[in-house]
Amino acid sequence: MSEIPKKQNIQTAPTPQNTPANNAPISSHAQQPGVGTIKEEDFDRAAAASIFAQNPKLVQMIQGKLGSLVGRSSGYVESLPAPVRRRVAGLKGVQKEHSKLEAEFQEEVLELEKKYFAKFSPLYEKRSQVVNGKAEPTEEEVKAGEEDEENDATDSTAKSDEGGDSVKGIPEFWLSAMKNQVSLAEMITDRDEAALKDLVDVRMEYLDKPGFRLIFEFAENEFFTNKTITKTYFYQNESGYGGDFIYDHAEGDKIDWKTGKDLTVRVESKKQRNKNTKQTRVVKKTVPTESFFNFFSPPMAPTDEDDDDAASDIEERLELDYQLGEDIKEKLIPRAIDWFTGEALQFEELDDDDLEEGDFEDEDDEEDESEDHDDEDESDDDDDAAKPKQEAAECKQS
């Protein structure tokens, strides 16, 4: 099933109903007009811009009014002759039949996914057994996996055989795989790694209704008592414009943290001095902190009480949260071994490699050259002042 959007932002095709008479001007590189070229209407625009800049609430009100006009009829269709309006209505009826077929298509795709997921499940179980040292791969499986490897595998095998008999399964398999998956790696902190080393399996299951559940299974560890931590993604009952399922919300399990082991918070200590006795005390406060385990506490949808900035921030977090779930479901779980070895990364970079040479153009180096000449003209007396810049550049490269 293709990526399921959280929110449908339907771009309306140009029609006589919504196409403006003139295209909006693009003036990113327009020359600034001189005083002699400014017309009276330009002064009006400047005055309006000044008013809007000083009254952001007025801008928000106007935007709200304009937003309420989206989708409203301009009267064009209503002004058509009756026979033409009848044909338009008929085509809308044909489109409804098309939408029904699109919805059926998405439902059948989902059923097909479930059918093959049932075939994949024994393979995932075999993978889990090998990773956790409960089973060994067969000779046929090993041979099939070595077919694409290079001829120098013998040397690496000889080195890895030393003391290998005492190693159980594949240590830190899921942690390594997740750290190679870019979107997940950005969430994993150094503190998280200690807990994720005990992650023994990641799997998913479909719900009876559209949606899926991610299941993270852990060995006994020092951080929490949960054996499994799940996160469930739900879709809306009604399908979207193109028949796609629409993401609704997600729910995560509560993590039962052991005392002092909650990775989603940190303790801040602050000294306070009594004004009268001059005695000092240390006040400790628990504050939220970045952690992969915040993944199991998904953001809630914005409410009417949230302002535009807060609502926009929440929407971005919701989109990111959904995309992370999709990455785990569609990328990490099906091809975990490729993420563990890093081979999956080359397929992630295909988007950049597929770009044609004509899509890029050389940047103008004149500014860089002029800066080089300016640097050459500087006296040696400025060496000390230049050192912080040089050090900053070196830090940036490292």
Side-chain angles (χ1 to χ4, degrees):
M1 183 168 56
S2 61
E3 178 178 336
I4 303 172
K6 177 184 69 62
K7 192 174 183 180
Q8 291 286 344
N9 291 325
I10 303 169
Q11 298 294 332
T12 308
T15 67
Q17 180 176 346
N18 62 24
T19 303
N22 298 314
N23 292 329
I26 301 176
S27 57
S28 59
H29 298 287
Q31 182 179 0
Q32 183 175 358
V35 175
T37 64
I38 299 179
K39 300 179 181 179
E40 183 176 352
E41 56 266 26
D42 293 327
F43 282 112
D44 293 339
R45 294 193 189 98
S50 176
I51 294 174
F52 291 150
Q54 297 175 11
N55 298 272
K57 290 185 178 180
L58 176 61
V59 176
Q60 293 179 0
M61 183 187 70
I62 294 175
Q63 289 176 339
K65 293 290 185 181
L66 293 175
S68 65
L69 297 176
V70 176
R72 289 190 178 184
S73 174
S74 64
Y76 171 78
V77 174
E78 291 80 359
S79 68
L80 295 172
V84 179
R85 293 201 307 271
R86 183 178 181 278
R87 295 172 194 132
V88 171
L91 290 181
K92 293 173 73 174
V94 172
Q95 185 62 44
K96 285 187 177 181
E97 292 299 320
H98 188 281
S99 298
K100 291 179 181 178
L101 290 176
E102 285 180 323
E104 291 179 11
F105 169 74
Q106 292 296 339
E107 290 175 0
E108 290 192 17
V109 168
L110 177 58
E111 292 304 317
L112 187 62
E113 284 191 0
K114 291 181 178 180
K115 173 184 175 181
Y116 275 87
F117 178 74
K119 295 183 178 183
F120 294 148
S121 294
L123 303 180
Y124 297 153
E125 179 60 28
K126 179 63 180 289
R127 178 179 67 193
S128 176
Q129 292 179 350
V130 172
V131 166
N132 295 293
K134 297 179 179 179
E136 292 292 335
T138 64
E139 290 297 327
E140 292 77 9
E141 291 167 341
V142 173
K143 184 177 180 180
E146 291 178 342
E147 286 180 353
D148 296 333
E149 293 183 357
E150 297 180 356
N151 296 329
D152 60 353
T154 305
D155 294 337
S156 61
T157 303
K159 294 179 181 179
S160 63
D161 282 344
E162 299 178 2
D165 293 340
S166 60
V167 178
K168 181 181 178 181
I170 305 179
E172 302 179 14
F173 175 85
W174 286 104
L175 171 59
S176 300
M178 292 168 65
K179 288 178 67 176
N180 280 333
Q181 217 288 320
V182 179
S183 59
L184 295 175
E186 293 176 347
M187 300 176 61
I188 299 174
T189 67
D190 293 340
R191 297 195 335 169
D192 292 333
E193 291 189 20
L196 291 174
K197 288 179 180 180
D198 292 313
L199 181 60
V200 298
D201 198 19
V202 180
R203 54 186 184 271
M204 61 85 63
E205 62 185 17
Y206 286 100
L207 307 181
D208 293 335
K209 60 180 182 179
F212 62 93
R213 178 176 293 111
L214 301 175
I215 305 170
F216 294 74
E217 182 179 349
F218 289 86
E220 186 174 349
N221 59 83
E222 63 177 294
F223 296 94
F224 43 80
T225 60
N226 307 65
K227 298 300 181 184
T228 60
I229 308 176
T230 70
K231 185 171 183 179
T232 307
Y233 288 83
F234 298 92
Y235 299 113
Q236 297 179 11
N237 294 327
E238 296 182 1
S239 57
Y241 179 75
D244 291 333
F245 297 109
I246 304 176
Y247 170 58
D248 187 68
H249 72 285
E251 298 176 2
D253 283 345
K254 179 181 180 297
I255 301 177
D256 298 321
W257 297 101
K258 296 181 180 180
T259 304
K261 294 295 184 177
D262 189 344
L263 297 173
T264 64
V265 298
R266 58 186 174 85
V267 178
E268 289 185 348
S269 299
K270 185 177 181 180
K271 286 186 177 181
Q272 292 182 343
R273 182 184 296 275
N274 188 293
K275 294 181 179 180
N276 298 322
T277 65
K278 304 301 181 181
Q279 292 182 341
T280 60
R281 67 174 182 176
V282 177
V283 178
K284 294 185 177 181
K285 181 173 64 173
T286 301
V287 296
T289 188
E290 294 182 356
S291 170
F292 167 77
F293 292 93
N294 289 324
F295 174 71
F296 298 100
S297 299
M300 303 297 293
T303 64
D304 295 336
E305 298 179 357
D306 296 312
D307 58 30
D308 291 342
D309 291 339
S312 177
D313 179 66
I314 295 174
E315 289 285 355
E316 291 181 3
R317 290 166 55 201
L318 284 169
E319 291 176 5
L320 174 61
D321 180 76
Y322 173 74
Q323 188 58 53
L324 288 171
E326 277 287 304
D327 286 347
I328 295 172
K329 171 178 173 283
E330 300 290 344
K331 297 180 179 181
L332 180 67
I333 293 177
R335 299 185 176 276
I337 184 60
D338 292 338
W339 290 107
F340 174 79
T341 62
E343 294 175 28
L345 290 171
Q346 62 182 312
F347 299 103
E348 288 287 288
E349 297 170 356
L350 280 179
D351 291 339
D352 292 337
D353 295 339
D354 289 343
L355 294 175
E356 297 180 359
E357 187 67 26
D359 295 333
F360 298 90
E361 59 182 9
D362 295 334
E363 294 184 356
D364 192 356
D365 294 335
E366 292 182 0
E367 294 183 1
D368 295 338
E369 293 177 358
S370 63
E371 291 176 0
D372 292 340
H373 288 302
D374 292 341
D375 293 341
E376 292 175 359
D377 293 339
E378 291 180 357
S379 63
D380 295 337
D381 296 335
D382 294 332
D383 285 346
D384 293 338
K387 285 182 180 179
K389 295 182 180 179
Q390 295 173 354
E391 293 173 357
E394 293 172 357
C395 293
K396 185 175 180 181
Q397 294 173 359
S398 61

